[in-house]
Amino acid sequence: MPSLKPPPYKIVILGDSSVGKTSLVHRFTTNTFDQHTANTIGAAFITKEHHSNNNAEKKVKFEIWDTAGQERYRSLTPMYYRNAKTALICFDLSNMEETFDKAKYWIEQLQINVNDQDIQIKLIGNKSDLSELLDPSEYIASLANPIKFYKTSAKTGEGIDKLFNDVVDDIDEKFFTEYYKNQENEANNLQRSGMINVFNSRFGDSTNNNKCC
């Protein structure tokens, strides 16, 4: 099993424009921060292998879809969260009045359009490094269903590792078991197919033995 590739695991990041979604992804994938990061157009796709701190065998290849927050791209977003296993819904802790409503909108859309058993939703309050922050508890309490909340800073890295470690830790063991079982079956089938092809190439295909010259 360790020799097999880690399973792909799709994550979608949703939220209003300029809440720091792209910066959060860059902090996780490259451990860098650029305060002049441009707004995402449509969506950006990034991959990174990551394993659980509690269990190194729980390793996945994150396929992260960082979506644009601008209103004009809203109709495209369902295409990006389709088949996602986890959705990270972001808002700006320093500007909750404007950005939390958009986060709430995406949570509601996911709950309407995606089976709760098929996707995990995590709520991210970003920009925790800024000095003047409001208490998000009242906003979070307004949600219809309880959702796990994380406070992060793409600038300092606060909360980023815990967020993505928890994503892996929360994956059911069944996900890994089924994936590796399918991979082993495919590898065995390919190996058997290869052996048959080698045998036929060396000794001739029996289906052609009765053909005349």
Side-chain angles (χ1 to χ4, degrees):
M1 184 167 68
S3 62
L4 297 175
K5 294 180 180 180
Y9 189 89
K10 182 177 179 180
I11 294 178
V12 64
I13 303 184
L14 304 167
D16 204 357
S17 179
S18 300
V19 298
K21 301 187 298 297
T22 300
S23 294
L24 186 150
V25 173
H26 285 174
R27 172 59 72 179
F28 171 63
T29 57
T30 67
N31 197 30
T32 60
F33 174 77
D34 180 0
Q35 63 181 2
H36 301 297
T37 299
N39 286 334
T40 302
I41 298 175
F45 177 68
I46 310 96
T47 64
K48 180 179 174 64
E49 291 187 4
H50 192 69
H51 67 79
S52 164
N53 285 346
N54 299 318
N55 182 355
E57 290 191 0
K58 290 186 75 172
K59 184 177 183 179
V60 296
K61 181 181 180 181
F62 282 137
E63 296 179 342
I64 304 171
W65 287 93
D66 171 23
T67 64
Q70 297 95 319
E71 190 75 24
R72 63 181 179 274
Y73 296 117
R74 179 179 288 190
S75 63
L76 298 175
T77 306
M79 175 176 64
Y80 300 117
Y81 67 63
R82 189 178 300 123
N83 298 322
K85 299 294 185 183
T86 293
L88 307 181
I89 314 297
C90 301
F91 66 96
D92 183 345
L93 286 167
S94 68
N95 188 18
M96 287 189 289
E97 186 173 350
E98 291 187 18
T99 63
F100 191 84
D101 281 346
K102 182 65 72 67
K104 191 173 183 179
Y105 167 83
W106 286 121
I107 291 171
E108 291 170 350
Q109 288 301 301
L110 289 170
Q111 291 172 337
I112 292 170
N113 297 312
V114 181
N115 191 320
D116 287 345
Q117 296 178 345
D118 294 333
I119 191 168
Q120 293 194 35
I121 302 176
K122 297 183 184 297
L123 181 63
I124 318 300
N126 196 32
K127 303 188 182 182
S128 63
D129 55 281
L130 297 180
S131 57
E132 295 183 6
L133 300 177
L134 300 174
D135 182 359
S137 57
E138 184 176 342
Y139 289 85
I140 296 171
S142 69
L143 298 174
N145 298 310
I147 293 174
K148 195 167 184 179
F149 170 68
Y150 295 81
K151 190 177 289 187
T152 65
S153 168
K155 185 175 183 178
T156 67
E158 178 192 354
I160 304 292
D161 285 342
K162 175 172 174 51
L163 168 61
F164 286 95
N165 286 334
D166 281 4
V167 170
V168 181
D169 285 335
D170 290 345
I171 301 174
D172 195 304
E173 290 282 357
K174 185 179 179 182
F175 171 81
F176 294 94
T177 302
E178 291 181 350
Y179 173 80
Y180 285 121
K181 183 178 180 180
N182 290 336
Q183 289 297 296
E184 288 174 345
N185 289 338
E186 289 181 12
N188 290 334
N189 289 337
L190 287 173
Q191 186 177 24
R192 284 194 294 268
S193 175
M195 291 175 65
I196 292 171
N197 289 336
V198 169
F199 179 86
N200 287 338
S201 65
R202 291 182 63 185
F203 300 101
D205 189 336
S206 61
T207 58
N208 294 325
N209 288 343
N210 295 327
K211 289 186 177 181
C212 296
C213 297

